[in-house]
Amino acid sequence: MTKQFNYKQFGNIDLAVYNTTTKSVYRIEDHIKVIFIPQNYGIKIDFQEFILPHDALLFVNPKVVVQPLNIDTSGAELIHFNRDFYCIEIHDQEVACDGILYNNVFEVPFIELDENQSVDIQKIIANIKSEMESHDASTEEMLRILLKLIIIKSTRIWKQQHQLAENEQYSDVQFLRKFSKLVEENYKTHHTVADYADMLAITPKSLSKKISLLSKDTPNDIIKNRIILESKRLLAHTALSVKEIAYSLNYEDDAYFVRFFTKNTGISPTSFRKLF
């Protein structure tokens, strides 16, 4: 079910009756998403498959393709909304999730939930479902409040799970978020560690040292992996030629792009496309 408030859209779908490979995903592909995933549920995010041992929440940017792997999808819920309803970037001061739950280039942002946390989140989802049936003048704002509640609680859990909840580690969290957001915003045009070090007003060496405290991947790996992911999405889900994809990612020499892609994936762009 989807509610529309002028240009603002908000919806909730039970994945038991949701087929991501045929219809709904393409109507809401530009929407931001929150997915509740039950224990031992299998899910494919872009080109990675996951089976989670605990109940979890998944936070999905627009354009990311999500496919359930289970035949039985009972208990899985998808909440989706457009930027007119709630813009993560604009409202980030309220919820502090940008670069953590969304636009996180370090990891796929799953929030694993313990039993109490899962019950808490499922109650909020139940309230969302109830509110979706309402036609009250305050429905839009109530849905926005419930969405923010999920995001705030999840951001807190993420920080606890990553041992970044203490005040003295606040600067580490802020740096992680800033670097993550910069890569997400600039990976198509800026490809080197030096580019991002300049944006952050530090040396490439200092950037690498700070990232090593937060991630097993180097800054170069993180930038490269984001470019590869976008390349795969364009190869799998568009009809753009390899040359056009290279150009869209700021590679004027498409032969260089082909070598870059092949070296980092073990397969040429053309061969990768044939898989889809």
Side-chain angles (χ1 to χ4, degrees):
M1 181 179 182
T2 300
K3 275 194 172 292
Q4 185 136 350
F5 311 93
N6 295 321
Y7 295 105
K8 307 168 193 174
Q9 296 176 347
F10 181 94
N12 170 248
I13 302 172
D14 185 338
L15 287 192
V17 293
Y18 175 80
N19 187 339
T20 57
T21 60
T22 58
K23 47 183 180 179
S24 298
V25 71
Y26 299 107
R27 290 202 296 268
I28 62 171
E29 67 171 1
D30 289 324
H31 285 198
I32 303 161
K33 304 171 189 72
V34 182
I35 306 175
F36 175 80
I37 304 166
Q39 180 181 7
N40 297 322
Y41 182 87
I43 195 163
K44 186 175 182 180
I45 310 299
D46 280 326
F47 310 99
Q48 290 181 273
E49 295 183 1
F50 302 88
I51 297 178
L52 302 173
H54 305 285
D55 290 355
L57 285 169
L58 169 64
F59 296 83
V60 183
N61 288 335
K63 305 295 185 183
V64 176
V65 176
V66 179
Q67 294 176 272
L69 301 177
N70 298 47
I71 296 174
D72 176 16
T73 58
S74 58
E77 299 277 350
L78 184 147
I79 297 165
H80 61 92
F81 54 97
N82 66 2
R83 282 193 168 93
D84 291 314
F85 181 84
Y86 192 82
C87 180
I88 295 300
E89 293 83 2
I90 291 175
H91 294 91
D92 188 54
Q93 287 187 337
E94 300 172 358
V95 293
C97 71
D98 195 11
I100 291 179
L101 302 183
Y102 293 101
N103 302 319
N104 186 331
V105 295
F106 292 87
E107 61 185 12
V108 177
F110 287 104
I111 304 297
E112 291 200 0
L113 306 170
D114 63 27
E115 187 174 344
N116 291 332
Q117 290 165 344
S118 181
V119 169
D120 193 17
I121 293 296
Q122 289 183 71
K123 284 180 181 177
I124 299 172
I125 293 173
N127 287 336
I128 286 173
K129 286 186 165 186
S130 176
E131 197 64 34
M132 291 288 286
E133 301 294 333
S134 172
H135 300 285
D136 189 270
S138 62
T139 294
E140 177 189 344
E141 191 56 32
M142 182 59 76
L143 288 170
R144 193 174 289 109
I145 289 169
L146 292 168
L147 172 64
K148 285 168 62 176
L149 194 55
I150 290 177
I151 291 173
I152 291 169
K153 284 178 177 289
S154 298
T155 302
R156 286 179 176 175
I157 295 169
W158 186 93
K159 289 178 181 177
Q160 290 167 357
Q161 291 176 347
H162 289 73
Q163 299 179 335
L164 293 171
E166 299 299 326
N167 289 336
E168 61 265 22
Q169 294 172 310
Y170 176 79
S171 63
D172 289 339
V173 177
Q174 294 306 104
F175 183 84
L176 179 149
R177 294 177 66 222
K178 191 169 184 179
F179 177 71
S180 200
K181 288 161 64 178
L182 282 174
V183 173
E184 187 61 29
E185 292 166 359
N186 297 284
Y187 69 89
K188 290 183 179 180
T189 54
H190 293 78
H191 299 167
T192 70
V193 175
D195 290 335
Y196 293 92
D198 284 345
M199 293 180 208
L200 292 163
I202 59 176
T203 66
K205 185 176 181 180
S206 295
L207 174 56
S208 296
K209 185 175 180 180
K210 285 185 75 70
I211 294 301
S212 70
L213 301 173
L214 304 166
S215 171
K216 65 182 185 302
D217 292 329
T218 67
N220 187 55
D221 290 334
I222 292 165
I223 299 161
K224 176 181 66 181
N225 290 342
R226 186 62 187 89
I227 296 168
I228 291 294
L229 174 58
E230 189 64 19
S231 303
K232 287 180 174 180
R233 286 177 180 167
L234 294 172
L235 288 164
H237 306 304
T238 77
L240 292 174
S241 68
V242 172
K243 186 171 185 176
E244 287 171 327
I245 292 171
Y247 185 76
S248 74
L249 294 169
N250 206 34
Y251 290 97
E252 294 183 4
D253 183 353
D254 56 303
Y256 177 85
F257 170 74
V258 169
R259 291 195 299 272
F260 167 78
F261 185 92
T262 305
K263 178 182 177 182
N264 288 286
T265 65
I267 188 172
S268 71
T270 303
S271 297
F272 180 84
R273 171 166 273 168
K274 287 178 180 177
L275 296 175
F276 296 89

